[in-house]
Amino acid sequence: MTDSMYTPQDPTTQYPGPPFEKQQQSGPGDVHDMKPRPDHGEESYVGFGRLAGRKALVTGADSGIGRAVAIAFAREGADVALAYLPEEETQAKEVEKLVQDAGRTAVLIPGDLQDEAYNTELVEKTVEALGGLDVLALVAGVMPTVDSIDDFETETLDHVLKANIYSLFWTTKAAMKHLKPGASIITTSSIQGFVPSPSLAEYAVSKAGIANWTRAMAQQLAERGIRVNGVAPGPVWTPLQPAFVPPEKIESFGEEAAYGRPGQPAELAPPFVFLASQESSYVSGETIAVTGGTPTH
Ligand code: NAD
Ligand code: MG
């Protein structure tokens, strides 16, 4: 690990790689139960006011990539609404404190994104608490593994699509009356949306769908001056993995990346900041791959 995200060094050895200790969690997972502890930028993220005065909503903000995005947004000068599942309250409170330590306002809005009414409430409560909305960072997601088509269950696909895809439509529709020209919507796809693993068919379908939704919505919303982009992570060291993947696969987690190691959540935050900021004014409909050197197509 490094003092600052700007210290030049070999990226392949910047963070730990496999073998990792075998570990398993029950969903939705806790960053404190991960060995080693993930880096969400708590010590390393340096902001420059690139999002000064912006109001952002981040889903999945308690842990993993969403937590790193919330920390980065706050250090770049944004107020942040944090969405997460009710059972993740303790982790969300830590993120609230980190946002406040950056001198920004945080608001906690727990709930289940599979519920349409919560998605609308989430947007309304964000606007009420922060006085507006400029950036939607839609990071939350679920990743069940199903090894064989013989074990396919309708309710698994319903669950994945509700949490990963429907919520994009619901939150974005609710946000429309608040987003102004210059606003930015950022989705979270995956390398799985481009190069799927055999046991992740349901998830991979949702992640391909997210990249395509991003392309469609970018064209739809261009006339309103709203940009829509995505980030497609490769393997990232977050509780999603021990919560959904068998422990023996965690031992070698990230070894398939060209770097030979997984990414850390802190390494995913900068592309979200870039896409949220006016720096990326001519970028819309794009999904940026952050995969440690592995091609997505
Ligand atoms: P994570 O478990 O830390 O974050 C996922 C979050 O999604 C949870 O914290 C939870 O708050 C939220 N969530 C899940 N179901 C929800 C529901 N029904 N209602 C509300 N919130 C819900 O893991 P992460 O890896 O940081 O995941 C963030 C995103 O990154 C996900 O969309 C995931 O698919 C994507 N991603 C992760 C990896 C990886 O290797 N970790 C790789 C590619 C893409
Ligand atoms: Mg979590």
Side-chain angles (χ1 to χ4, degrees):
M1 207 177 298
T2 168
D3 292 332
S4 157
M5 63 192 284
Y6 292 103
T7 308
Q9 60 188 289
D10 179 348
T12 66
T13 52
Q14 188 169 344
Y15 284 107
F20 293 107
E21 223 177 284
K22 264 193 207 160
Q23 48 201 291
Q24 180 108 65
Q25 295 194 32
S26 53
D30 191 320
V31 297
H32 300 284
D33 296 335
M34 295 196 74
K35 294 167 264 175
R37 177 81 194 269
D39 180 10
H40 309 95
E42 290 93 338
E43 311 294 329
S44 57
Y45 194 92
V46 182
F48 294 100
R50 293 155 75 193
L51 301 176
R54 309 280 272 174
K55 321 266 182 213
L57 166 58
V58 181
T59 68
D62 63 293
S63 60
I65 296 166
R67 183 181 180 114
V69 169
I71 293 169
F73 279 9
R75 292 194 186 167
E76 296 291 358
D79 293 330
V80 194
L82 310 172
Y84 55 93
L85 287 163
E87 57 265 45
E88 299 177 311
E89 188 74 17
T90 309
Q91 295 174 86
K93 288 254 181 225
E94 294 165 356
V95 182
E96 176 186 39
K97 168 106 182 23
L98 286 156
V99 170
Q100 288 167 345
D101 289 348
R104 307 311 311 178
T105 302
V107 53
L108 303 184
I109 314 176
D112 184 348
L113 287 167
Q114 295 175 95
D115 169 14
E116 183 171 1
Y118 166 68
N119 287 262
T120 312
E121 259 170 55
L122 175 60
V123 169
E124 292 309 322
K125 284 185 178 167
T126 299
V127 172
E128 207 176 296
L130 302 184
L133 181 59
D134 309 296
V135 178
L136 266 185
L138 303 171
V139 183
V142 292
M143 188 186 70
T145 57
V146 183
D147 289 335
S148 165
I149 188 68
D150 300 330
D151 299 323
F152 172 76
E153 285 180 357
T154 303
E155 59 187 25
T156 307
L157 187 59
D158 279 345
H159 169 55
V160 171
L161 296 185
K162 278 269 156 70
N164 294 5
I165 297 268
Y166 281 54
S167 60
L168 306 185
F169 285 95
W170 288 330
T171 44
T172 299
K173 184 179 178 191
M176 270 311 127
K177 60 176 180 287
H178 305 292
L179 297 179
K180 298 192 172 54
S184 169
I185 300 172
I186 309 162
T187 61
T188 309
S189 178
S190 169
I191 192 167
Q192 291 292 331
F194 302 88
V195 190
S197 300
S199 58
L200 287 172
E202 291 82 350
Y203 177 76
V205 158
S206 80
K207 292 293 165 176
I210 292 171
N212 232 15
W213 183 89
T214 301
R215 291 188 200 103
M217 209 47 63
Q219 294 174 77
Q220 211 184 102
L221 300 187
E223 63 182 23
R224 304 191 201 193
I226 298 167
R227 296 180 302 103
V228 188
N229 291 288
V231 175
V236 186
W237 191 243
T238 74
L240 187 82
Q241 297 299 337
F244 286 105
V245 172
E248 57 280 5
K249 289 202 181 156
I250 298 295
E251 271 186 302
S252 59
F253 185 66
E255 135 190 296
E256 74 281 14
Y259 284 11
R261 68 163 177 92
Q264 289 291 324
E267 296 179 286
L268 272 294
F272 279 85
V273 170
F274 169 68
L275 293 171
S277 136
Q278 199 64 26
E279 291 165 352
S280 56
S281 55
Y282 205 57
V283 182
S284 197
E286 176 61 1
T287 291
I288 301 178
V290 185
T291 60
T294 309
T296 50
H297 31 257

